[in-house]
Amino acid sequence: MLPQSLSDHTLLSLLREGDEQAFRALYDRYWYKMYVIAHRKLRRKEVAEELAQELFVMLWQKRDSLRVINLPAFLGVSLRNLMIDYIRRHMQEEHYLDQLRQFFPDEGFATIEAVQLNELTEALQQALAQLPDKTREVFILNRFEHLTIREIAQRLNLSEKAIEYHLSRSTGFLRRNLRDFAAAWVLFYLL
């Protein structure tokens, strides 16, 4: 029987056993729905894609311990939590920028933003250089050339699952490394 025709309950049972086809069937069944919900709430395509992707990475990583009765409800609640975390982080960043604007005149702040952009670009390039070649290539194709997972898979002759893995790995790595950079920059200007 094809995995697409199986019930959520059956697919979840197979997923707990590490069945990648079951995961793929669940991903195909629910990813777009989760993306649409996130996009409707946040109105940012890239963020909605990233959060929907994070949701399924979490589903795969926690597959052994999942005891889900209603998968759509579980995914909806988990996505809501990811969106809340994103909004909190975003609001915190906006708060820091508002605080900085109070200390610097508008024309001075434009200079500071230009310096910050240059420093961030340099930090991003250094962080990207630390990634394995294939992971870096997948990230650049997705984030800078705006190719979809399917387009990257075709171009690099890899599975879509492999592309998703590389994207998850690169965004997690960059998020951890650039978070420290951004926090240090904010602290420097607030002190």
Side-chain angles (χ1 to χ4, degrees):
M1 187 178 283
L2 294 173
Q4 296 87 342
S5 63
L6 297 175
S7 70
D8 287 351
H9 179 73
T10 304
L11 289 171
L12 283 169
S13 295
L14 292 169
L15 177 64
R16 278 187 216 99
E17 297 168 9
D19 188 313
E20 291 183 19
Q21 286 184 333
F23 174 77
R24 187 71 208 179
L26 290 171
Y27 182 91
D28 290 344
R29 190 175 291 175
Y30 289 106
W31 185 90
Y32 186 73
K33 293 174 185 173
M34 296 299 110
Y35 162 76
V36 168
I37 291 169
H39 188 263
R40 194 177 308 134
K41 296 288 184 190
L42 301 173
R43 304 214 187 281
R44 295 190 60 201
K45 179 182 184 278
E46 295 81 17
V47 173
E49 287 175 353
E50 185 175 330
L51 292 179
Q53 198 67 27
E54 270 185 59
L55 176 64
F56 282 91
V57 168
M58 181 267 309
L59 183 68
W60 177 256
Q61 290 173 340
K62 295 184 178 184
R63 67 188 178 277
D64 298 337
S65 60
L66 285 178
R67 299 295 173 249
V68 177
I69 296 170
N70 182 335
L71 184 60
F74 171 80
L75 292 173
V77 169
S78 298
L79 180 64
R80 186 188 74 210
N81 291 338
L82 288 172
M83 288 189 297
I84 289 169
D85 289 345
Y86 168 79
I87 291 168
R88 280 189 189 131
R89 284 192 315 268
H90 188 71
M91 286 174 55
Q92 200 170 27
E93 290 168 8
E94 286 298 316
H95 174 73
Y96 289 140
L97 287 175
D98 287 343
Q99 293 293 320
L100 286 175
R101 285 183 183 104
Q102 292 177 8
F103 292 105
F104 300 102
D106 288 341
E107 60 277 353
F109 199 72
T111 303
I112 290 168
E113 285 178 333
V115 169
Q116 179 188 18
L117 179 61
N118 288 337
E119 290 174 354
L120 180 59
T121 301
E122 185 177 323
L124 177 61
Q125 289 173 345
Q126 289 173 357
L128 283 173
Q130 295 176 40
L131 290 171
D133 293 341
K134 190 63 68 180
T135 303
R136 178 176 51 251
E137 184 179 12
V138 168
F139 179 84
I140 289 169
L141 289 172
N142 181 257
R143 300 298 180 176
F144 298 134
E145 296 184 24
H146 308 289
L147 296 181
T148 66
I149 290 172
R150 178 167 284 137
E151 291 169 334
I152 298 169
Q154 290 170 350
R155 181 182 284 192
L156 300 181
N157 198 25
L158 294 171
S159 70
E160 290 182 27
K161 182 125 178 79
I163 301 303
E164 292 164 5
Y165 166 79
H166 286 294
L167 280 176
S168 173
R169 184 175 180 190
S170 62
T171 54
F173 177 81
L174 293 172
R175 189 178 295 120
R176 285 188 303 276
N177 282 280
L178 296 179
R179 180 181 298 142
D180 294 340
F181 171 81
W185 187 87
V186 168
L187 286 175
F188 174 78
Y189 282 103
L190 288 178
L191 296 177

